[in-house]
Amino acid sequence: SAVSTATPAPTPFAPAITAGSMARAAERAAASVVTVIAELPPSVDSSGARSEQTNAGTGIVIGEDGLILTNFHVISGASRVRVVLPTGESREASFVADDSPFQDMALLSIPAGGLKAATLGSSSALRLGEPLLAVSSGVSTVQNQVKVGVVSATKADLVRPGLILTGMVQTDAAVNNGDSGGALVNSNGEVVGVLTTIVRQQPNGDIVEGVALCHAIDDLKPVIDAVRAIGSNPRPRIGIERYTTQHRLLTAEEATRLRVRSNEGVAVTRVDPGSPAEAAGIRPGDIILA
């Protein structure tokens, strides 16, 4: 019998990604991206003059019932939070839950109606070099903006004082102040991460350019699912775990007095009422060395 010598057609590695498909992905995602404006308590200078303070960031509509995903650092310490839709409409937001400091995420709620929820994808399926979009609120307008990059690393770690954020997606898409809480989007228009932080330099001081780290959406889904199921985040807390608001590094003077290095201990600044830390007798002003 005859033997065929024809070479079989190669199996495509991935569907072709074109400028048109990325534009459609951006359009799909942008309808769910909002501006988050956090009003902070006014600051008072040495003369007693008061000045208003605001913090602007981005959020993602993840439920047509009004559930909004953003970064915790965008709304931390706010006395009032507003969400501005892509249409320009402003709605009051209420705090629902957060997972700080373990993950820089927070959930807000705004009145429902006229909202389009984002489609959440799978961050575990991301591959190095895969095109990504960073979709966030505009620099000087609520009109959303889009930046293009690729997956430059997965499962990246970010070292912060007393904490390591793990499993993050690294991208070279341009991320700037105000983009925090925005959507990291794949070519299907699905949210695969949350824009979280820009990396400016390595721990040794070497300058870093074109690097942004994003929380992987698969790591945030358990918190989102828990909040939808029981209304809160069930993660156990000690009651002093938040850096800068509940504890801080020792000053040089404190370290000298205690005869330790400044990075060997922390000073407690606030203890959550009713927390295990309070029950154990920890009080503001305590110094913890181990």
Side-chain angles (χ1 to χ4, degrees):
S1 58
V3 177
S4 173
T5 58
T7 303
T11 301
F13 179 70
I17 298 173
T18 65
S21 65
M22 295 302 283
R24 288 189 293 273
E27 184 178 14
R28 180 183 183 187
S32 306
V33 173
V34 298
T35 302
V36 177
I37 300 176
E39 299 181 8
L40 305 175
S43 63
V44 181
D45 63 20
S46 57
S47 66
R50 295 162 61 91
S51 60
E52 300 298 323
Q53 300 182 95
T54 59
N55 192 24
T58 306
I60 308 166
V61 179
I62 59 172
E64 294 181 358
D65 57 353
L67 196 62
I68 307 291
L69 172 64
T70 188
N71 284 146
F72 179 76
H73 77 257
V74 171
I75 55 95
S76 178
S79 55
R80 179 192 180 199
V81 179
R82 293 181 292 119
V83 167
V84 183
L85 306 182
T87 60
E89 178 190 353
S90 178
R91 298 185 186 182
E92 293 291 321
S94 58
F95 174 79
V96 176
D98 72 88
D99 199 39
S100 172
F102 311 103
Q103 299 183 109
D104 190 354
M105 70 166 291
L107 293 170
L108 308 173
S109 178
I110 63 173
L115 301 174
K116 180 175 176 55
T119 300
L120 304 185
S122 172
S123 53
S124 61
L126 292 174
R127 297 170 299 179
L128 294 180
E130 180 177 340
L132 293 173
L133 300 173
V135 185
S136 60
S137 59
V139 175
S140 58
T141 173
V142 296
Q143 183 177 4
N144 288 327
Q145 59 185 13
V146 178
K147 280 78 67 79
V148 179
V150 300
V151 178
S152 54
T154 59
K155 301 186 183 304
D157 293 342
L158 173 65
V159 179
R160 286 183 170 175
L163 185 73
I164 301 177
L165 299 180
T166 62
M168 305 190 82
V169 179
Q170 180 179 313
T171 181
D172 63 344
V175 176
N176 301 289
N177 293 334
D179 292 347
S180 293
L184 187 69
V185 177
N186 64 17
S187 59
N188 294 322
E190 300 166 333
V191 176
V192 293
V194 176
L195 311 180
T196 302
T197 189
I198 311 162
V199 180
R200 301 292 191 191
Q201 62 179 183
Q202 296 181 8
N204 64 3
D206 289 346
I207 301 301
V208 176
E209 294 183 358
V211 173
L213 294 178
C214 313
H215 274 302
I217 198 66
D218 288 356
D219 292 342
L220 305 184
K221 284 178 180 177
V223 178
I224 296 170
D225 292 343
V227 169
R228 282 179 168 151
I230 64 175
S232 62
N233 180 6
R235 182 190 290 275
R237 293 182 178 274
I238 299 174
I240 55 171
E241 66 273 4
R242 297 188 196 274
Y243 179 65
T244 71
T245 58
Q246 293 180 329
H247 70 270
R248 60 169 174 76
L249 297 179
L250 297 180
T251 65
E253 292 77 11
E254 290 168 335
T256 299
R257 175 169 54 84
L258 295 169
R259 298 180 181 179
V260 299
R261 293 194 295 269
S262 60
N263 62 357
E264 284 186 335
V266 297
V268 177
T269 56
R270 184 172 65 84
V271 181
D272 274 352
S275 66
E278 183 184 63
I282 296 177
R283 298 291 181 265
D286 285 353
I287 304 297
I288 299 178
L289 297 181

